[in-house]
Amino acid sequence: MTLPKISVTIITHNEEENIENCLKSVKWADEIVVFDSFSTDKTLAICKKYKARIIKYKWLGYSKQKNLAIDNARNEWVLSLDADERITKELLDEIKKEFERGDTADGYYIARKNFFLGKWIKHCGWYPDYNLRLFKKSKGRFIEREVHERAEVNGAAKYLKNPLEHYTYKTLSDFISRLDRYSTLSAIELHKKGKRAGWSHLTIRPITTFLKMFFLKLGFLEGFYGILLSGLYSFYTFSKYAKLWEMDKKG
């Protein structure tokens, strides 16, 4: 079987620190589509170096933005990435072998090696963290929600063995600023569904989040990184429901 043409889609907004390493890892692609929300830094200049097709569009939300990027891909097979992700040589070789065998699915789940403050986190529920990223344009779609978007495929899916690399949360300040944004979006999502925040959401759930990540998900094996992550996610849970309570109060 001839290797099909693959379009890589990436959504961006002021990603000059991440985008070049991402583009380097996918320079083999037949097409790179950068769907940009009017970056004001060097993001677009870097993208032009790699001959990416740049489309500027106002920000509509994570899932909507990724679906629009997919809609603009010229090839049937799409690999959807974030700017802070990289495709490794081992993963690319596995993708090539999968297509060369001819027994392809409609989509492929790819594990992620998530890095926190520069360290690969193997526990806390952070690995393997499978996500559908490679799929047929006609079969795959991101579920439209405010945050924590995930793609689904209408057809057969397989799991690849080799992970991509995800360099997220390079500093604690980065985590905290995104925690504030994501907790707001999560609260909006819950509010739209008619959910309300009670006492247990503000007391028991944050504690449960910490215990689950640190003990059940073996976060203690990560040492101080495990304590940090478990504590930060506990505060994220508290923030999400506190903001939901505030929304309920304001009507």
Side-chain angles (χ1 to χ4, degrees), residues 38-169:
F38 300 98
S39 292
T40 55
D41 62 0
K42 297 177 182 177
T43 297
L44 299 184
I46 296 169
C47 292
K48 288 175 183 177
K49 283 169 50 181
Y50 291 85
K51 299 181 180 179
R53 186 157 61 91
I54 299 167
I55 301 170
K56 297 180 183 179
Y57 205 86
K58 64 181 180 180
W59 179 254
L60 297 176
Y62 292 101
S63 55
K64 289 181 179 179
Q65 214 75 0
K66 289 186 176 183
N67 282 334
L68 284 170
I70 292 166
D71 289 341
N72 280 274
R74 291 169 177 160
N75 298 310
E76 172 66 352
W77 279 97
V78 173
L79 175 61
S80 177
L81 293 179
D82 291 332
D84 56 4
E85 294 175 338
R86 291 95 177 88
I87 299 298
T88 64
K89 180 183 181 301
E90 293 77 13
L91 175 56
L92 177 57
D93 288 343
E94 184 180 4
I95 291 171
K96 288 179 178 178
K97 288 177 182 177
E98 185 67 28
F99 282 114
E100 285 169 0
R101 276 199 296 266
D103 184 25
T104 55
D106 297 305
Y108 291 90
Y109 284 89
I110 301 174
R112 296 198 300 176
K113 289 176 67 174
N114 294 302
F115 290 79
F116 172 66
L117 307 184
K119 183 182 187 298
W120 174 27
I121 304 298
K122 303 174 188 177
H123 305 94
C124 290
W126 265 36
Y127 188 78
D129 188 27
Y130 272 101
N131 283 266
L132 183 75
R133 291 306 186 86
L134 177 62
F135 49 84
K136 290 180 180 178
K137 179 180 174 179
S138 59
K139 299 281 188 175
R141 202 79 180 160
F142 280 87
I143 302 169
E144 296 206 354
R145 51 188 301 185
E146 295 293 334
V147 70
H148 305 311
E149 68 285 354
R150 284 185 178 268
E152 286 188 348
V153 65
N154 182 21
K158 290 184 179 180
Y159 286 77
L160 299 176
K161 294 179 181 179
N162 290 285
L164 60 78
E165 294 178 348
H166 182 208
Y167 292 90
T168 186
Y169 306 127

